[in-house]
Amino acid sequence: MDRRAFLITSAGVAAFSASPAASRGEGAIAGDGPLPEGQPASDGYQPPSWLRYSRTIYFDGKTPPVYPHLREFDAGRLVKVAIQLGGDTIRFEPVSNWAYYPSKAFPVCPELNGRDLIDEVSRECRKAGVHIYCYSKFGNPSMVVGWADSHPEYADWVLRGPDGKPYGTYNNLGWNQIQKPCSTSDAYRQGIRQVTRELCAHDIDGVYFDAPSGWGYTDICYCPSCRKNFLAFSGMDLDRLQNKEDMEARIAWFHWWNQVNLDELEACRKIIHESGKFMLCHNGDTWMGFALRGQYRIPEGFMVEHSPQIYTRLMTGLMGASMARPYHKVAQMYLGSYCVSNFGQPPHCQPWGLHDATMEDGDEILMEGFTNLACGNLPLYATLNRGYYGSGSGSDRPVREVFDVMRRVEVLLKDSAPVPYITVVPTWEALQVWRTNRKTWNVEMSQGFALAMLDERLSLDVCPSTEVTARWLGSQRVIALCGATGVSAGQARILADWVREGGSLLATYDTGLCDELGRLKPGGMLQELLGVEMKGEPLASLSECYYRPKESHPALGDYGPGTRLMGDTQLLPVAAVGEAKVLADCWNLGLDEVRGPAIIANNYGKGRTLYVSGSLEAHYASSRVVSLRRLLASMVSYLAYDAPPPFTTTAPRGVYGVLRQAANGDRVLWLLANVGFKDADIGRMRQEFVPLSHVQAKIQLPSGRGVKKVHLIRAGRSVAAPVENGYVVVEIPSLHVAEIVHVELA
Ligand SMILES: [Zn+2]
């Protein structure tokens, strides 16, 4: 399956998308017009080959030794520590709360005294053969509240309310002393372009922009520049945005914001490429309905946001890799973090960067690093500041091992791809329901589904709808749309074509209830394909809902008439239409009342579909009730015509497997033994992992292939490789945190 060849053009990627790329220069637009679309790099720039397998370490600019005071900064020491940690690349942050070089555009650190820290670090990097690229702000806050009052040259960089006064602080991570910027004014955008030119005038390899499309960092600004530009773009008065109910104005504003971001990214990319350097972006805020949809296609690579839970990290990481793979781009993911916890904690963890200077790493760094790699993403270690001080009672052993393993698996990991039994497809269109004030749970339901598949050892991939085309579908066995509220007519058509030719689709809850603009579609967008007529919005949640099979059916596994299964308390009112069959209904125990059909099976052409009117997967993520998982697994197996799974393992629940196919065809099974102290549902706590012994894994061989050798990469040894019924049987004597099983094919 060669996805690259046909996805390389924007025409290819637009196939499943709601609407074609907006034409440039589109002036006044209707409120619900298509969003601007990021384009694949097409200016002929070729990034250096090392970038796609770099071991990057992040030096943060918001903490010591540069902030709040510039003290003890020694570039030589910094580069030395990066090398000790196993890195070969530094992401240096010279544009942070201050600029740490003599910038003409960005507020310069008052303690800089004419120094240029980029030059200092770059010189040491070049001497040591370490790559360097520079982090820059793009639209996220940097100035202390009130600072611009005494520095009027930056007055236009401040987010302003309708009264013209500054408003908005970045306080959701404890930075309530930091003023939100006006990221859309001409002055700010010209400033960032100038910063980009200044960075590119240094001897560095590339530029990284933090948080383009990061809505949480900024807000709607009412400064004179924003008023003028929004009016010119939309024909609307910006003051309409003061009325939060005015959705037409709001939609137009986000359209404008997207266009500003797109124009700026392309302008900066031009500056960067013309200086022979690469561009990377933070992409963690972009899977939001009002962000720039194709942003990830603009730079040479992007950072996928990390996640404290390992199964959600797998979900996000696999999805990020699926965004990068068609274009040969880099997807990076944080390894370690400098926050104790993300949200909802007492002030011990605020502001966010508090724990930057202590080195307390433990085995969770191994787990995160191997998880990132298993997804096909490059670990980006946070942060170098900690190693710089060497304080704390922890160790840098974990990160060194992650980078060491990374070096050893390069030929297996680079250009590899997952071997999915099922692919879950989070959809961009589901996120568009904000336009009609609706809510979607597509991300959470997709995560829950991923967890159920990981727990059932049904090999999983995650691919966003923005990278789904008819040809991509042709390479898939089963796909799942989990609470994918919005579906476009184009998507409905290629899904129907694919199923008619033998594809299998699982759809849950409100999948296709709305179109790609969040408008309720009578009957649903997938009525004919699923054999399901949707009768409107979800019913109110009721406790004590059970699913009752009406017949024995392979999709229900061992559950037949007379059994009651844990069901979802939420339900979409539906009816089976055409030849479709209701396999189970949803019954309320307390009221002794049937709420409606729960599971509906349909045959469509040569293919099969199953629809569930609730979300067993969302329920599973919070309850982990076994029947929920088993039912989902039997549905997937039925949809896969009982094809044997690509791998199995005897390891206990909590051990996640990710099976990949190397560029040369070899199979590589990443086993992540996420078992042990798990009482950490909110923060990134230090974690202990329980060692396992005598774990068996069976890995399916491609037809016609034999085994030359099986190697346990982390243990550094080969093991016996007996073959049974098309599977190579691998005994793993001990499994602690992770093992990487390489099946070298004969
Ligand atoms: Zn403004």
Side-chain angles (χ1 to χ4, degrees):
M1 88 183 176
D2 183 8
R3 293 167 54 183
R4 285 192 302 278
F6 61 88
L7 287 172
I8 207 81
T9 64
S10 60
V13 297
F16 198 67
S17 300
S19 44
S23 61
R24 307 300 311 282
E26 187 181 14
I29 48 110
D32 60 354
L35 291 168
E37 180 72 277
Q39 299 299 312
S42 57
D43 60 1
Y45 170 76
Q46 290 290 329
S49 58
W50 58 261
L51 179 63
R52 288 189 54 235
Y53 210 73
S54 49
R55 303 187 304 278
T56 307
I57 303 187
Y58 172 30
F59 178 84
D60 186 280
K62 293 173 283 295
T63 53
V66 293
Y67 192 85
H69 295 289
L70 179 57
R71 262 187 212 141
E72 303 176 35
F73 182 84
D74 176 350
R77 181 163 139 204
L78 186 143
V79 174
K80 200 171 140 207
V81 175
I83 293 169
Q84 279 167 3
L85 294 173
D88 66 358
T89 304
I90 290 175
R91 187 178 97 181
F92 183 59
E93 185 169 328
V95 182
S96 192
N97 290 1
W98 300 114
Y100 291 98
Y101 68 95
S103 174
K104 301 244 181 318
F106 202 90
V108 174
C109 172
E111 298 166 342
L112 195 62
N113 284 328
R115 289 172 75 178
D116 184 325
L117 302 195
I118 306 177
D119 278 349
E120 291 180 23
V121 177
S122 165
R123 256 195 310 274
E124 294 297 328
C125 282
R126 296 305 182 215
K127 259 196 274 177
V130 170
H131 311 297
I132 172 176
Y133 62 91
C134 287
Y135 166 110
S136 171
K137 301 282 179 180
F138 192 84
N140 45 343
S142 59
M143 278 183 250
V144 171
V145 171
W147 183 84
D149 294 346
S150 51
H151 296 82
E153 66 273 31
Y154 290 105
D156 294 339
W157 287 34
V158 174
L159 189 73
R160 293 188 183 271
D163 57 1
K165 292 190 179 137
Y167 86 105
T169 56
Y170 187 44
N171 58 11
N172 67 338
L173 288 173
W175 285 339
N176 55 6
Q177 77 280 29
I178 305 289
Q179 169 70 50
K180 280 187 175 180
C182 163
S183 61
T184 38
S185 72
D186 291 339
Y188 182 86
R189 298 301 359 158
Q190 282 159 15
I192 295 300
R193 289 187 196 193
Q194 178 58 24
V195 164
T196 306
R197 286 185 203 97
E198 291 172 354
L199 293 177
C200 289
H202 288 82
D203 180 19
I204 57 171
D205 299 304
V207 176
Y208 171 94
F209 290 121
D210 194 357
S213 294
W215 171 243
Y217 288 115
T218 180
D219 211 317
I220 292 163
C221 177
Y222 295 83
C223 76
S225 168
C226 291
R227 286 180 179 280
K228 173 174 68 84
N229 291 339
F230 178 69
L231 179 67
F233 183 86
S234 67
M236 289 183 201
D237 189 325
L238 188 61
D239 279 320
R240 280 182 62 175
L241 270 299
Q242 289 192 61
N243 174 8
K244 293 217 182 328
E245 310 293 303
D246 188 341
M247 286 311 286
E248 187 189 27
R250 218 169 165 73
I251 288 165
W253 191 90
F254 278 106
H255 194 146
W256 173 62
W257 185 59
N258 277 231
Q259 193 65 54
V260 170
N261 279 326
L262 178 60
D263 290 346
E264 291 310 307
L265 284 167
E266 292 194 340
C268 290
R269 186 179 70 173
K270 187 163 186 290
I271 295 166
I272 295 166
H273 284 181
E274 283 177 357
S275 73
K277 303 180 194 333
F278 60 77
M279 172 167 142
L280 303 178
C281 283
H282 181 265
N283 209 54
D285 294 314
T286 54
W287 198 250
M288 293 184 187
F290 38 75
L292 182 59
R293 175 172 56 186
Q295 180 171 296
Y296 61 92
R297 299 184 193 129
I298 301 170
E300 279 65 59
F302 48 86
M303 203 192 74
V304 180
E305 196 50 272
H306 74 288
S307 172
Q309 297 281 17
I310 296 304
Y311 80 91
T312 53
R313 183 179 284 262
L314 281 165
M315 158 90 193
T316 311
L318 286 167
M319 179 166 150
S322 289
M323 291 160 138
R325 199 177 307 120
Y327 314 99
H328 266 233
K329 291 184 188 293
V330 176
Q332 297 178 326
M333 208 167 188
Y334 272 137
L335 162 59
S337 169
Y338 49 171
C339 49
V340 173
S341 60
N342 285 338
F343 302 103
Q345 287 279 287
H348 65 163
C349 61
Q350 295 177 342
W352 200 29
L354 184 71
H355 286 254
D356 236 7
T358 58
M359 176 63 83
E360 295 278 359
D361 289 350
D363 285 344
E364 71 282 348
I365 295 293
L366 293 176
M367 176 55 75
E368 291 178 11
F370 294 137
T371 304
N372 294 356
L373 290 170
C375 294
N377 297 335
L378 303 186
L380 170 71
Y381 183 63
T383 66
L384 182 48
N385 306 57
R386 299 188 291 167
Y388 186 87
Y389 286 102
S391 46
S393 57
S395 160
D396 61 4
R397 180 192 55 79
V399 62
R400 284 191 283 111
E401 192 192 335
V402 169
F403 283 143
D404 179 56
V405 165
M406 191 180 153
R407 270 191 292 256
R408 285 153 57 200
V409 299
E410 177 165 358
V411 292
L412 300 176
L413 194 56
K414 211 169 169 181
D415 298 319
S416 67
V419 181
Y421 191 76
I422 173 150
T423 300
V424 60
V425 177
T427 78
W428 179 260
E429 293 69 23
L431 305 180
Q432 298 309 313
V433 295
W434 67 271
R435 294 158 177 269
T436 52
N437 280 316
R438 289 192 167 81
K439 167 92 185 145
T440 184
W441 297 99
N442 180 234
V443 170
E444 294 80 1
M445 289 178 179
S446 299
Q447 286 172 344
F449 185 79
L451 176 66
M453 294 301 104
L454 289 164
D455 280 352
E456 282 290 326
R457 281 62 187 260
L458 288 177
S459 190
L460 174 83
D461 196 4
V462 183
C463 183
S465 67
T466 51
E467 295 302 329
V468 170
T469 63
R471 280 191 62 184
W472 177 84
L473 280 171
S475 70
Q476 299 294 308
R477 192 196 306 262
V478 186
I479 72 160
L481 298 174
C482 300
T485 321
V487 169
S488 73
Q491 288 174 329
R493 194 167 48 247
I494 69 165
L495 284 170
D497 290 346
W498 171 65
V499 174
R500 195 183 297 112
E501 291 307 311
S504 289
L505 173 67
L506 174 65
T508 72
Y509 195 48
D510 61 353
T511 294
L513 179 66
C514 298
D515 68 10
E516 77 280 10
L517 295 174
R519 297 174 298 205
L520 204 68
K521 161 80 176 172
M525 296 296 291
L526 301 174
Q527 179 168 335
E528 191 192 332
L529 172 57
L530 298 175
V532 170
E533 182 193 358
M534 296 184 173
K535 293 179 176 293
E537 309 273 4
L539 302 181
S541 177
L542 270 187
S543 61
E544 303 302 336
C545 288
Y546 292 83
Y547 286 2
R548 297 189 308 188
K550 295 169 79 75
E551 60 177 276
S552 292
H553 189 281
L556 303 177
D558 296 335
Y559 303 111
T563 53
R564 294 171 189 171
L565 297 157
M566 177 65 79
D568 190 12
T569 57
Q570 303 181 101
L571 181 88
L572 201 77
V574 296
V577 294
E579 304 290 304
K581 263 175 41 180
V582 177
L583 301 185
D585 63 21
C586 176
W587 170 74
N588 185 276
L589 178 86
L591 303 173
D592 189 15
E593 176 182 291
V594 173
R595 300 196 82 202
I599 301 175
I600 295 175
N602 196 29
N603 294 318
Y604 189 78
K606 296 180 203 155
R608 293 173 169 176
T609 68
L610 284 171
Y611 169 76
V612 185
S613 63
S615 178
L616 302 175
E617 61 275 18
H619 202 314
Y620 182 68
S622 50
S623 71
R624 311 219 178 177
V625 168
V626 174
S627 57
L628 298 167
R629 184 185 81 219
R630 289 207 181 130
L631 188 53
L632 285 167
S634 61
M635 287 194 273
V636 170
S637 298
Y638 164 74
L639 289 171
Y641 295 83
D642 296 315
F647 76 90
T648 61
T649 174
T650 59
R653 209 72 52 198
V655 176
Y656 303 137
V658 177
L659 183 65
R660 304 187 67 89
Q661 177 179 334
N664 69 357
D666 283 0
R667 294 292 192 260
V668 181
L669 179 63
W670 293 73
L671 285 172
L672 305 161
N674 191 36
V675 288
F677 166 56
K678 294 288 114 206
D679 196 9
D681 66 344
I682 183 164
R684 266 198 75 266
M685 297 184 201
R686 304 288 85 105
Q687 300 207 10
E688 305 286 336
F689 297 89
V690 174
L692 303 171
S693 56
H694 303 295
V695 168
Q696 189 186 71
K698 292 183 179 180
I699 301 164
Q700 193 182 31
L701 297 169
S703 71
R705 302 296 296 271
V707 185
K708 202 162 156 193
K709 197 169 79 172
V710 170
H711 195 68
L712 304 181
I713 287 175
R714 201 162 161 239
R717 55 179 285 202
S718 294
V719 290
V723 174
E724 282 174 15
N725 304 322
Y727 287 80
V728 58
V729 181
V730 182
E731 301 290 340
I732 301 146
S734 67
L735 173 60
H736 184 220
V737 183
E739 186 52 273
I740 304 142
V741 182
H742 173 205
V743 179
E744 195 179 335
L745 297 177

